[in-house]
Amino acid sequence: MTVTEKVAYLKGLMEGLSVDETSKEGKILKAVVDVLDDLAMSVEDLEDYTAELTEQVDAVDEDLDSLENDFYGECDCCDDDEDEEYYDITCPSCGDEFSVDEDTLLEGGIECPNCGEHLEFDVECDDCGCDCCSDEEDEEK
């Protein structure tokens, strides 16, 4: 039962019980039911407006998703939504430990931030067909 239906039920009870609207108690009951009726109508309007906004936001979200897929492609491996993984590296020259992200590993090397030794990484990217893998394949060829 909706709020509007409940208020209508209360109005019907007042009429069915023949509440004297000229008495002090009757005036208060009528005023309370009138306020409840106004509130019920406002709630119903807000629910309708919220449903309409939800539909519009969903449509915009679908359109944005379509644009993102057109612009960035549909590669799931490069989602920014996923937490970026970091890998712990120990420099063989100085023993310093530091972390690098996957992009740094895929570049093939980095200078040790402590001693400056050039460290090379031999990491193969899963060929998923996205730009992050095709650049490396082009460099290897």
Side-chain angles (χ1 to χ4, degrees):
M1 200 186 238
T2 66
V3 176
T4 307
E5 293 170 338
K6 290 178 182 178
V7 172
Y9 175 74
L10 289 175
K11 280 184 176 181
L13 274 179
M14 279 187 57
E15 290 174 10
L17 293 174
S18 301
V19 174
D20 183 16
E21 294 180 10
T22 58
S23 70
K24 293 179 185 178
E25 294 83 10
K27 288 179 182 178
I28 290 175
L29 283 174
K30 180 174 179 359
V32 167
V33 169
D34 287 343
V35 169
L36 288 174
D37 188 41
D38 290 344
L39 289 172
M41 296 303 261
S42 294
V43 167
E44 188 175 316
D45 290 344
L46 287 172
E47 287 173 343
D48 292 343
Y49 184 67
T50 301
E52 184 180 328
L53 279 177
T54 300
E55 288 178 18
Q56 290 175 353
V57 168
D58 288 344
V60 168
D61 186 45
E62 288 175 13
D63 291 345
L64 180 59
D65 188 44
S66 176
L67 286 173
E68 286 175 342
N69 286 337
D70 290 346
F71 188 77
Y72 295 113
E74 295 186 32
C75 180
D76 291 336
C77 72
C78 300
D79 267 349
D80 291 335
D81 296 338
E82 297 177 14
D83 292 333
E84 191 170 353
E85 289 189 46
Y86 287 89
Y87 300 91
D88 293 329
I89 306 294
T90 303
C91 177
S93 295
C94 67
D96 187 36
E97 291 185 19
F98 56 96
S99 298
V100 296
D101 62 2
E102 186 173 14
D103 292 338
T104 304
L105 282 179
L106 293 175
E107 288 175 8
I110 188 173
E111 302 293 322
C112 174
N114 187 42
C115 68
E117 177 78 22
H118 182 74
L119 307 176
E120 292 186 13
F121 308 118
D122 187 23
V123 179
E124 292 184 21
C125 176
D126 295 334
D127 186 15
C128 61
C130 69
D131 292 339
C132 70
C133 299
S134 60
D135 290 342
E136 292 171 17
E137 289 175 7
D138 292 341
E139 290 174 9
E140 292 175 6
K141 291 181 183 178

